[in-house]
Amino acid sequence: MERKFKILRLTLGSYATNCYILFSNEEAIIIDPAAEAEKIIKAIEDNNLKPTKILLTHAHPDHFGALDEVRNHFGIEAYISKNDEEMLEIRSKELNMMLGTDSYLKVEHYYSEGDIINFSGGDIRVLETPGHTPGGVCLLIDDILISGDTLFYGSIGRTDLPGGDYDTLMSSLKKLTNLNDDILVLPGHGQETQLGFEKIYNPFLQRL
């Protein structure tokens, strides 16, 4: 499949979180502005891109640490699952307490299962995949699945943090196994993988 878009990956912050920038011509969409806002801004400006949206896969601080700075710099709006709204507020308060501030983050838009995010490079479809957090999502565009912390190379997202639930995550993974084997998985941490490979070799998917 010939894609109409390109992808930049930046690995950012102390948790080595993957931030993805999808772009087609000049339009760009930022997924999980994790940390180090200056690096995200520089990558976009060095490539002469014009970001239009920020998409969050879930509400953990290592995935939204640079949200406000990037959002304000480009004057754009952010999306998250409604089911993670409360967690976004709670976890961003915790983050701001660590930084010595007293604000918390909000987003302008909420998405849910089956919603389509318009992008010049192709439609981005929202797949609800709770379990790591109540509102975790994966984002599917063409043969690319941006999996957040739902699915990793050889592993899955942890469920021992607030809002996590192992059985719910396993149900979400079961849903992902219905997708085509040739889909390329771009996770929130670590290296990319292929869904067909994970179906065979990932010990968690083997249990499904």
Side-chain angles (χ1 to χ4, degrees):
M1 177 185 296
E2 184 176 354
R3 301 185 192 119
K4 297 179 181 179
F5 61 94
K6 297 180 180 179
I7 305 171
L8 288 174
R9 183 181 75 173
L10 304 175
T11 301
L12 304 167
S14 57
Y15 290 93
T17 303
N18 292 325
C19 166
Y20 297 100
I21 302 169
L22 308 185
F23 63 99
S24 177
N25 298 318
E26 292 183 346
E27 184 189 1
I29 289 181
I30 302 165
I31 301 174
D32 286 352
E36 301 179 273
E38 70 283 355
K39 292 185 179 180
I40 300 172
I41 292 168
K42 184 176 188 300
I44 289 170
E45 294 183 343
D46 284 353
N47 285 279
N48 298 311
L49 301 177
K50 297 178 181 178
T52 58
K53 303 175 183 71
I54 296 173
L55 309 181
L56 299 177
T57 60
H58 65 287
H60 277 158
D62 60 319
H63 289 256
F64 65 69
L67 171 60
D68 249 6
E69 190 171 346
V70 172
R71 174 170 50 185
N72 293 338
H73 182 87
F74 292 110
I76 56 178
E77 298 182 343
Y79 294 66
I80 201 170
S81 167
K82 181 69 173 177
N83 294 326
D84 260 5
E85 179 184 32
E86 182 179 359
M87 177 167 285
L88 179 65
E89 178 179 340
I90 293 170
R91 299 307 297 272
S92 64
K93 279 184 176 178
E94 294 171 355
L95 179 64
N96 280 289
M97 286 176 63
M98 292 170 58
L99 298 175
T101 60
D102 58 1
S103 62
Y104 64 89
L105 297 175
K106 292 184 177 181
V107 297
E108 293 78 16
H109 305 282
Y110 300 102
Y111 41 43
S112 57
E113 176 71 23
D115 282 354
I116 300 296
I117 306 298
N118 294 321
F119 172 50
S120 59
D123 289 339
I124 302 173
R125 182 157 62 98
V126 177
L127 303 177
E128 290 185 345
T129 53
H132 179 64
T133 67
V137 303
C138 293
L139 301 168
L140 181 65
I141 175 170
D142 291 348
D143 62 342
I144 300 288
L145 182 74
I146 298 174
S147 64
D149 285 4
T150 297
L151 177 64
F152 301 126
Y153 171 76
S155 189
I156 61 173
R158 58 190 296 182
T159 56
D160 59 335
L161 298 172
D165 184 86
Y166 178 80
D167 291 337
T168 301
L169 183 57
M170 293 302 285
S171 294
S172 295
L173 294 166
K174 178 66 174 177
K175 181 164 84 174
L176 294 183
T177 63
N178 293 322
L179 300 176
N180 293 335
D181 288 357
D182 61 355
I183 284 177
L184 182 66
V185 179
L186 304 182
H189 303 272
Q191 70 184 70
E192 65 186 41
T193 186
Q194 194 168 40
L195 190 55
F197 176 89
E198 296 304 317
K199 289 179 186 180
I200 296 172
Y201 296 107
N202 188 311
F204 296 94
L205 272 62
Q206 290 174 353
R207 301 173 189 173
L208 297 174

